[in-house]
Amino acid sequence: MILNAFEMNCSGHQSPGLWTHPDDQSVDYKKASYWRELAVLLEKGKFDAVFIADVLGIYDVYEGSRDAAIRNGVQVPLNDPSYIVPIMSEATDHLSFGITASVTYEHPYSFARRMSTLDHLTDGRIAWNVVTSYLKSASVNLGLQQIPHDERYDLADEYMDVCYKLWEKSWEEDAVIQDKTRRIFTEPEKVHDIHHKGKYFSIPGAHLAEPSPQRTPVIFQAGASTRGRKFAVDHAELVFISSTSIHKIKETVQLFKEDLKHTNREADNFKIISMVTPIVAETTAEAEEKFEEYTKYASKEGALSLVSGWTGIDMAQLKADEKISYIENDAIRSTLKAFEHYTVKETASFVGVGGFGPVIVGNPTEIADALEAWMDETGIDGFNIAYTVTPGSFKDFIDFVVPILQARGRVQTAYKEGTFRKKLTGSNYLPHSHQAKRVQISKAEGMFG
Amino acid sequence: MILNAFEMNCSGHQSPGLWTHPDDQSVDYKKASYWRELAVLLEKGKFDAVFIADVLGIYDVYEGSRDAAIRNGVQVPLNDPSYIVPIMSEATDHLSFGITASVTYEHPYSFARRMSTLDHLTDGRIAWNVVTSYLKSASVNLGLQQIPHDERYDLADEYMDVCYKLWEKSWEEDAVIQDKTRRIFTEPEKVHDIHHKGKYFSIPGAHLAEPSPQRTPVIFQAGASTRGRKFAVDHAELVFISSTSIHKIKETVQLFKEDLKHTNREADNFKIISMVTPIVAETTAEAEEKFEEYTKYASKEGALSLVSGWTGIDMAQLKADEKISYIENDAIRSTLKAFEHYTVKETASFVGVGGFGPVIVGNPTEIADALEAWMDETGIDGFNIAYTVTPGSFKDFIDFVVPILQARGRVQTAYKEGTFRKKLTGSNYLPHSHQAKRVQISKAEGMFG
């Protein structure tokens, strides 16, 4: 069972309003100490990785304004996700880090160097959560037209191609020899210009960074639309899905497995995790009491601000007991689909604690049982564990639930050695069946091959 | 006397070929431990900051190829400059960090959030070295036309304006109140959309990050052309100049002081430092021996690869004893001016050890005397100390020279408390005379004012 902590460089990530709870320390997200201490805690709990979400905009669909998001601290203010990684890696030896970055935010040439740099500095503990961006407020501020959903994936495919060329094909394994006698740092003929000329990008040169421990970071992806699934089976090593319905999760896993059959990839290099917010206490009654208490601190306005942003539909325009129905718009279709048939009131209530995923409430054994049942019934490989209060939710999970899952042989009792990919798959590098290994540098102009 | 360590996230920064010296450990630049240990050393030596240079391309003018640069490890491979900062900040309490980033590499909206994030995580120990980019290889790979020299500064001016609006005017000081009783994280009416609409950028929205300890990072700049000086007096708090000629340094300082008079800025909020590579040992003879030894390890080919990149002139096309003469091209004019009248051979020799700045060789007292003389004769405020071998050069300087400068009251014996700007100027924020404080958010559409 893969265990990731689901985080974001802001306060109250998936539980809008819970920053008001006396136990929550997420208002300290700005400080290095917050991330340092969280990383130490998660490594003690043998978590695999921290999955760091990001958006580059403010939720501004609800009431046609960003005021509700700002007032309730709903993922705003929001800092850059990547600089907390060296803070956490310095405090740990094994914990890995999945950084969300959109293909519409930065040029792949400089982005690829950022990832290589982090992979070097962390000894290969880096994953990249590839997103194609859904917030209109982000693309407006970046001077981009909001690119239609399917075309975003075309751009993403080319972006991946460029990155693969830079990471996998530009520097040969033995290019850097640092031969002090012959005074050769790198053999120039083993560094290859990538000669990329595509629809969106033109990059003639070579990568600036030498090969890092994993070359390509572990590829995460979250997107369950038809086009998103195609992108995932082409690229992702770990896919993140979410639904409050176990049947929906099972169905999505089946769709992925079906899609995978049409590729050359081995199924065991493709993991699926889903989101869950566990609320655990020593007894069932105490856990339920805790849940009730959290509910009181949740912000319905904050929840509807999130849902409006996710779905592109202004929930303030609907009546509280009106059912949300599907309409075509620019937002992520699969997200809107997830809320279909719920009333606005129900939505506000369940998103208030646990965001866009299920909440499980119980004593340690009940939580462990529930996670096992979700895994076994759906075929997923693990979870993104979201918090209600931090670090309290993670501490409870580690103190109460992890030992049970360890005793049952479901989660690791010790870390394997090596890079994140080595821990996940046994190898530092992507397998040859992955398309990163198949990208070609143009032979016409290039020196490769 | 301000003391910065002049570094870059690569091997052999300003002494091409010296990576082959047995004492040099700069080939370990990829590892977190290299930066962690360097930071601890520099803080022990009471250095003010680490000035981290960067280019986003490979030197490819020499022989019309990047082979010489790659073979000799001349600033390639080269990692991102910003991720070593959290590594170093985690290991220190007071050392500050100047990060080089070009206004042509990334959109200001996402860049501004990066800087705010780092300023938060380091408790205000961040400076930004603003560059306008000179390497053609960088702009080609980013899909940019190489923008003419003076126009780059126009773009840079607008880029600064956008950043100032985001950092200084978007979030009021008391916008974030985190009032748990009233359940208000941030007061929406105190967060302002910047409504920026310029020639190069259009950014309607608000900054994503809440105000960081310094808001605007301390602004560094390096550029001594007429247009560069204009940019510097408009924006910079610390200017970095370099010349092997004390007269040239003095002349440049005078030009800056003259320019400053035509602004509203106070002269003491504008510091100038120059580069120097000290080679020190217990006795003069030992220091000279050391210098001779370093010279043997220097790479003339590497040096000419650097100079060709800096000046835009392929030194391989000139004869060894031919004097370099000034011709108009796209490179930095003032850089080429600096090499005018030297022969190619002389240039290769002096750039081989100490790069684009003077080397001073002597016993501890001689080095301290020389630094004092440079300061007093030129009017500069301090130095960017470059290394020949690392961390050895910094260690020697800290063991031998710093105690003398401390005894003479020239450098600090203890750090002041607070942010980098507080240490430099007594205040966390830019003074009201700085134009960052004068940028206006459009009142027509905006809510500010």
Side-chain angles (χ1 to χ4, degrees):
Chain A
M1 186 188 293
I2 294 167
L3 288 182
N4 290 348
F6 195 32
E7 266 287 1
M8 199 168 187
N9 197 354
C10 63
S11 167
H13 174 207
Q14 288 285 324
S15 288
L18 265 293
W19 66 270
T20 56
H21 192 283
D23 290 348
D24 188 61
Q25 292 170 27
S26 70
V27 293
D28 289 335
Y29 77 94
K30 304 182 295 281
K31 298 182 187 163
S33 56
Y34 173 84
W35 298 102
R36 195 187 305 131
E37 288 160 19
L38 179 67
V40 169
L41 173 67
L42 295 172
E43 186 155 278
K44 181 183 150 237
K46 305 288 182 297
F47 269 62
D48 292 277
V50 187
F51 187 116
I52 310 163
D54 189 39
V55 290
L56 198 64
I58 301 176
Y59 290 81
D60 61 0
V61 175
Y62 185 72
E63 295 179 329
S65 150
R66 38 51 157 190
D67 287 2
I70 291 178
R71 192 179 309 114
N72 293 284
V74 174
Q75 301 184 3
V76 63
L78 171 64
N79 281 346
D80 184 280
S82 64
Y83 294 107
I84 54 178
V85 169
I87 305 279
M88 293 193 281
S89 69
E90 283 295 274
T92 54
D93 293 316
H94 290 287
L95 189 68
S96 295
F97 311 97
I99 301 163
T100 297
S102 169
V103 297
T104 59
Y105 293 166
E106 189 180 6
H107 195 280
Y109 187 66
S110 50
F111 175 76
R113 188 177 69 151
R114 286 189 199 277
M115 288 292 110
S116 296
T117 301
L118 281 170
D119 204 47
H120 277 299
L121 291 171
T122 62
D123 296 319
R125 294 192 270 155
I126 298 297
W128 170 28
N129 177 36
V130 188
V131 300
T132 58
S133 301
Y134 55 92
L135 284 189
K136 198 173 171 184
S137 59
S139 55
V140 166
N141 285 316
L142 292 166
L144 301 165
Q145 302 280 0
Q146 178 82 344
I147 305 165
H149 179 273
D150 282 5
E151 195 184 329
R152 290 208 296 267
Y153 279 102
D154 294 341
L155 185 151
D157 275 326
E158 190 184 329
Y159 198 99
M160 299 307 288
D161 255 22
V162 170
C163 288
Y164 294 152
K165 287 176 183 177
L166 292 168
W167 287 327
E168 300 285 338
K169 298 297 170 88
S170 186
W171 291 62
E172 290 186 36
E173 200 66 17
D174 54 355
V176 177
I177 54 173
Q178 294 175 343
D179 182 332
K180 292 191 176 189
T181 315
R182 291 164 62 215
R183 302 180 58 81
I184 300 174
F185 195 107
T186 305
E187 300 206 85
E189 64 277 14
K190 292 187 175 172
V191 178
H192 307 289
D193 293 335
I194 69 163
H195 297 294
H196 179 86
K197 220 176 167 66
K199 183 174 171 192
Y200 302 96
F201 305 105
S202 162
I203 294 137
H207 193 33
L208 287 172
E210 61 183 291
S212 67
Q214 302 183 113
R215 284 185 176 258
T216 298
V218 173
I219 304 291
F220 285 3
Q221 204 257 355
S225 69
T226 311
R227 187 63 184 85
R229 283 207 318 276
K230 166 89 172 73
F231 184 84
V233 297
D234 283 346
H235 302 283
E237 300 173 80
L238 186 143
V239 168
F240 169 44
I241 57 180
S242 189
S243 172
T244 49
S245 148
I246 197 164
H247 303 291
K248 181 72 190 159
I249 295 281
K250 186 176 181 176
E251 191 185 299
T252 307
V253 170
Q254 285 311 314
L255 286 170
F256 273 119
K257 298 214 160 155
E258 199 55 44
D259 291 347
L260 258 191
K261 286 184 192 156
H262 304 289
T263 71
N264 294 315
R265 298 184 59 190
E266 296 93 4
D268 56 350
N269 283 316
F270 188 90
K271 317 269 190 205
I272 303 173
I273 62 171
S274 81
M275 176 180 159
V276 67
T277 301
I279 295 174
V280 61
E282 278 190 69
T283 66
T284 312
E286 282 174 85
E288 276 165 6
E289 203 175 294
K290 228 178 192 180
F291 175 67
E292 287 310 316
E293 193 200 325
Y294 289 154
T295 303
K296 283 180 212 148
Y297 286 90
S299 161
K300 288 196 166 40
E301 188 185 50
L304 292 178
S305 169
L306 275 179
V307 175
S308 299
W310 292 335
T311 60
I313 292 174
D314 179 2
M315 297 291 153
Q317 303 294 321
L318 308 180
K319 291 189 190 74
D321 46 15
E322 194 170 336
K323 282 192 177 166
I324 299 169
S325 55
Y326 183 77
I327 53 157
E328 191 76 23
N329 70 17
D330 276 345
I332 298 180
R333 294 167 206 187
S334 50
T335 311
L336 179 49
K337 279 273 182 205
F339 294 102
E340 209 178 353
H341 310 312
Y342 288 99
T343 68
V344 173
K345 200 175 157 186
E346 285 163 349
T347 299
S349 169
F350 80 70
V351 172
V353 175
F356 184 34
V359 175
I360 50 175
V361 182
N363 68 35
T365 309
E366 286 166 337
I367 299 288
D369 289 348
L371 295 179
E372 286 196 295
W374 270 73
M375 264 187 85
D376 296 343
E377 283 177 37
T378 61
I380 57 169
D381 303 284
F383 297 94
N384 254 359
I385 306 287
Y387 67 83
T388 37
V389 295
T390 171
S393 296
F394 292 120
K395 195 171 176 311
D396 285 348
F397 187 80
I398 288 165
D399 289 345
F400 288 127
V401 185
V402 168
I404 299 175
L405 293 170
Q406 284 175 332
R408 294 180 186 177
R410 285 283 186 163
V411 301
Q412 60 195 357
T413 53
Y415 283 106
K416 291 178 192 155
E417 289 302 313
T419 64
F420 188 29
R421 185 177 287 113
K422 179 99 178 173
K423 289 180 170 82
L424 281 178
T425 72
S427 172
N428 288 326
Y429 292 160
L430 279 164
H432 288 285
S433 58
H434 192 282
Q435 79 175 57
K437 294 292 183 183
R438 298 199 307 270
V439 291
Q440 291 294 328
I441 293 179
S442 157
K443 297 196 185 197
E445 291 180 272
M447 286 172 288
F448 199 76
Chain B
M1 187 187 292
I2 294 168
L3 289 182
N4 289 348
F6 196 31
E7 266 286 1
M8 197 169 188
N9 197 353
C10 62
S11 167
H13 173 207
Q14 288 284 324
S15 288
L18 264 294
W19 65 270
T20 56
H21 192 284
D23 290 349
D24 188 61
Q25 291 170 28
S26 70
V27 294
D28 289 335
Y29 76 96
K30 304 182 295 283
K31 298 181 188 162
S33 56
Y34 172 83
W35 298 102
R36 197 187 303 133
E37 288 159 20
L38 179 68
V40 169
L41 173 67
L42 295 172
E43 186 154 279
K44 182 184 149 235
K46 305 289 183 294
F47 269 60
D48 293 278
V50 187
F51 186 116
I52 310 162
D54 189 39
V55 289
L56 198 65
I58 301 177
Y59 290 81
D60 61 0
V61 175
Y62 185 72
E63 295 181 328
S65 150
R66 38 49 156 193
D67 287 4
I70 291 177
R71 192 181 307 114
N72 292 285
V74 175
Q75 300 183 2
V76 61
L78 171 63
N79 281 346
D80 184 280
S82 64
Y83 293 107
I84 54 178
V85 169
I87 305 279
M88 293 193 282
S89 69
E90 283 295 275
T92 54
D93 293 316
H94 289 288
L95 190 67
S96 295
F97 311 97
I99 301 162
T100 298
S102 170
V103 298
T104 60
Y105 292 166
E106 188 180 6
H107 195 279
Y109 187 67
S110 50
F111 175 75
R113 188 177 68 151
R114 287 189 198 279
M115 288 292 109
S116 297
T117 302
L118 281 169
D119 204 47
H120 277 299
L121 291 171
T122 63
D123 295 319
R125 293 191 272 154
I126 297 298
W128 170 28
N129 176 38
V130 187
V131 299
T132 59
S133 298
Y134 56 92
L135 286 188
K136 198 173 171 184
S137 59
S139 56
V140 165
N141 284 316
L142 291 168
L144 302 165
Q145 302 281 357
Q146 178 81 345
I147 305 164
H149 178 274
D150 280 6
E151 196 183 328
R152 289 207 297 268
Y153 279 103
D154 295 340
L155 184 149
D157 274 327
E158 189 183 330
Y159 198 101
M160 299 308 288
D161 255 21
V162 170
C163 288
Y164 294 151
K165 287 176 183 176
L166 293 167
W167 287 327
E168 299 285 339
K169 299 296 170 90
S170 186
W171 291 62
E172 290 185 37
E173 201 65 18
D174 55 352
V176 177
I177 53 171
Q178 294 176 344
D179 182 331
K180 291 190 176 190
T181 314
R182 291 163 62 216
R183 301 180 60 82
I184 300 175
F185 195 106
T186 305
E187 300 205 86
E189 65 277 15
K190 294 188 174 172
V191 178
H192 307 288
D193 293 336
I194 68 164
H195 297 295
H196 178 85
K197 218 174 168 69
K199 182 174 171 193
Y200 302 97
F201 305 105
S202 161
I203 294 137
H207 193 33
L208 288 172
E210 61 182 293
S212 67
Q214 303 183 112
R215 287 186 174 259
T216 297
V218 173
I219 303 292
F220 286 3
Q221 202 257 355
S225 69
T226 311
R227 187 65 184 84
R229 283 207 317 276
K230 166 91 173 72
F231 184 85
V233 297
D234 283 346
H235 303 283
E237 302 174 79
L238 186 143
V239 167
F240 169 44
I241 58 179
S242 190
S243 173
T244 50
S245 150
I246 196 164
H247 303 291
K248 182 72 192 159
I249 295 281
K250 187 176 179 174
E251 190 185 302
T252 307
V253 170
Q254 287 310 316
L255 287 170
F256 273 118
K257 297 212 160 155
E258 200 53 44
D259 290 347
L260 257 190
K261 286 183 193 155
H262 304 289
T263 70
N264 294 317
R265 298 185 60 191
E266 296 93 4
D268 58 348
N269 282 316
F270 187 88
K271 317 269 189 205
I272 303 174
I273 61 170
S274 81
M275 175 180 159
V276 66
T277 302
I279 296 175
V280 62
E282 278 190 68
T283 67
T284 313
E286 281 174 86
E288 276 166 5
E289 203 175 295
K290 229 179 194 180
F291 175 65
E292 289 310 318
E293 193 200 323
Y294 289 154
T295 304
K296 283 181 210 145
Y297 286 90
S299 163
K300 289 197 166 37
E301 188 184 51
L304 293 178
S305 168
L306 275 179
V307 175
S308 300
W310 291 337
T311 60
I313 292 175
D314 179 2
M315 296 292 153
Q317 302 293 321
L318 308 179
K319 290 189 191 75
D321 45 17
E322 194 170 334
K323 282 191 176 165
I324 299 170
S325 55
Y326 182 76
I327 53 161
E328 191 75 22
N329 70 16
D330 277 345
I332 297 179
R333 294 166 206 188
S334 51
T335 311
L336 179 49
K337 279 275 183 202
F339 294 103
E340 209 178 354
H341 311 310
Y342 288 99
T343 68
V344 173
K345 202 174 157 186
E346 286 162 350
T347 299
S349 169
F350 81 69
V351 172
V353 174
F356 185 34
V359 175
I360 49 176
V361 182
N363 67 35
T365 309
E366 287 167 336
I367 299 289
D369 291 346
L371 295 179
E372 287 195 295
W374 270 73
M375 263 187 84
D376 295 342
E377 284 178 36
T378 61
I380 58 169
D381 303 284
F383 297 94
N384 253 359
I385 307 285
Y387 67 83
T388 37
V389 296
T390 172
S393 297
F394 292 119
K395 196 173 176 310
D396 286 349
F397 186 81
I398 288 165
D399 289 344
F400 288 127
V401 185
V402 167
I404 299 176
L405 293 170
Q406 284 175 332
R408 294 181 185 176
R410 286 282 188 165
V411 301
Q412 61 194 356
T413 53
Y415 284 105
K416 290 177 194 155
E417 289 301 313
T419 65
F420 188 28
R421 184 176 288 112
K422 179 100 180 173
K423 289 180 170 83
L424 282 178
T425 72
S427 172
N428 287 327
Y429 292 160
L430 278 164
H432 287 286
S433 57
H434 192 282
Q435 78 175 57
K437 294 292 183 184
R438 299 199 305 270
V439 292
Q440 291 295 330
I441 294 178
S442 158
K443 297 194 186 201
E445 291 180 273
M447 285 172 287
F448 199 77

